[in-house]
Amino acid sequence: MKSKSATDEKIMQAFAQLVEQQGYSATTTVQLAQTAGVNESTIFRHFGDKLGLATGLIVRYRKSLMDIIADFKPVWDLETDLIDFSRCFRKQWPKQHVMVMLMSTVKDPAQKQKLHAATHQIKNGIQEQITQYLEQMQNRGRIREDVNPEQIALNFIWLNIGQFWTSRFWENEQHQLSDERFYELSIRPFVHLLTT
């Protein structure tokens, strides 16, 4: 007999796959049961309903992202560290695409509001980690005293999300940047503004 956690993981992987392919509202528990190779009743027993599935997917994504960020070890060089933070975001891009599909295809306003609250926790967790790092850099005299670390952390998140959207949804080659080119054109000027 398979463990509950193995079954949960199988269901979640199938759910993420279906949401990415056809969106949240179009995904049914019947399709999910067939894709995951489980009975539909197992899905309801483990997750309650589709909202429970969506919430579970967001919680798993948040944990995965926060684990990667928790592994980050600063070297206290602003450019190096912010590039490493950006690499953390890039590792999560496939899951970010699923999150975008999930949030953009929920039709029920009440469900959308509940899921929005859960995704907001992801942004807050990332912003908190980057803010703490920037505050320490400010205390070390490595960035300007007149900048607001919390706002700069949010700007940095927006910069990386913008790169994600550009690379995922604009297929024109002139908008495609290699990692190194993105760091050169975006992260380095960002660092320059914080240090001069």
Side-chain angles (χ1 to χ4, degrees):
M1 181 179 235
K2 292 183 179 177
S3 70
K4 181 183 182 304
S5 62
T7 302
D8 284 357
E9 190 57 35
K10 189 160 78 164
I11 292 169
M12 274 291 131
Q13 286 177 0
F15 183 63
Q17 175 189 333
L18 289 170
V19 166
E20 185 168 21
Q21 290 171 354
Q22 60 191 29
Y24 173 79
S25 293
T27 297
T28 67
T29 53
V30 172
Q31 291 173 322
L32 178 56
Q34 290 171 347
T35 303
V38 298
N39 291 325
E40 191 178 13
S41 61
T42 302
I43 295 168
F44 294 126
R45 193 170 56 252
H46 286 225
F47 294 98
D49 56 15
K50 268 179 60 175
L51 183 61
L53 284 159
T55 303
L57 193 62
I58 291 169
V59 167
R60 280 172 167 73
Y61 170 66
R62 181 180 190 274
K63 182 184 182 319
S64 174
L65 184 57
M66 296 312 289
D67 285 349
I68 287 174
I69 290 175
D71 288 341
F72 168 73
K73 303 288 185 256
V75 297
W76 306 110
D77 174 79
L78 189 61
E79 183 176 314
T80 301
D81 290 340
L82 290 184
I83 287 173
D84 283 348
F85 268 128
S86 287
R87 286 192 175 114
C88 289
F89 286 122
R90 292 178 86 85
K91 286 179 186 175
Q92 292 296 306
W93 276 8
K95 292 181 181 178
Q96 288 179 23
H97 188 254
V98 173
M99 291 296 105
V100 169
M101 285 299 294
L102 174 68
M103 293 305 296
S104 64
T105 59
V106 176
K107 292 181 181 173
D108 181 88
Q111 287 185 353
K112 192 163 201 147
Q113 185 176 3
K114 288 178 183 175
L115 294 175
H116 180 72
T119 57
H120 196 66
Q121 291 177 355
I122 296 170
K123 191 274 296 177
N124 288 347
I126 297 167
Q127 186 177 0
E128 182 180 323
Q129 292 284 332
I130 297 171
T131 298
Q132 289 173 2
Y133 166 78
L134 291 171
E135 286 172 346
Q136 291 181 50
M137 288 296 278
Q138 204 169 43
N139 291 338
R140 292 167 180 246
R142 303 280 177 89
I143 62 174
R144 294 183 358 224
E145 291 182 14
D146 64 331
V147 300
N148 178 329
E150 188 173 2
Q151 183 60 53
I152 295 301
L154 189 55
N155 291 348
F156 182 70
I157 291 168
W158 289 338
L159 179 69
N160 281 277
I161 289 173
Q163 171 62 4
F164 163 73
W165 277 92
T166 300
S167 68
R168 284 289 177 177
F169 298 106
W170 293 348
E171 296 184 7
N172 185 324
E173 288 185 12
Q174 76 182 46
H175 295 296
Q176 298 299 319
L177 295 176
S178 68
D179 290 0
E180 284 308 313
R181 192 78 173 127
F182 171 67
Y183 303 144
E184 179 185 340
L185 296 176
S186 302
I187 304 298
R188 290 185 182 119
F190 189 85
V191 167
H192 181 72
L193 290 171
L194 295 179
T195 55
T196 57

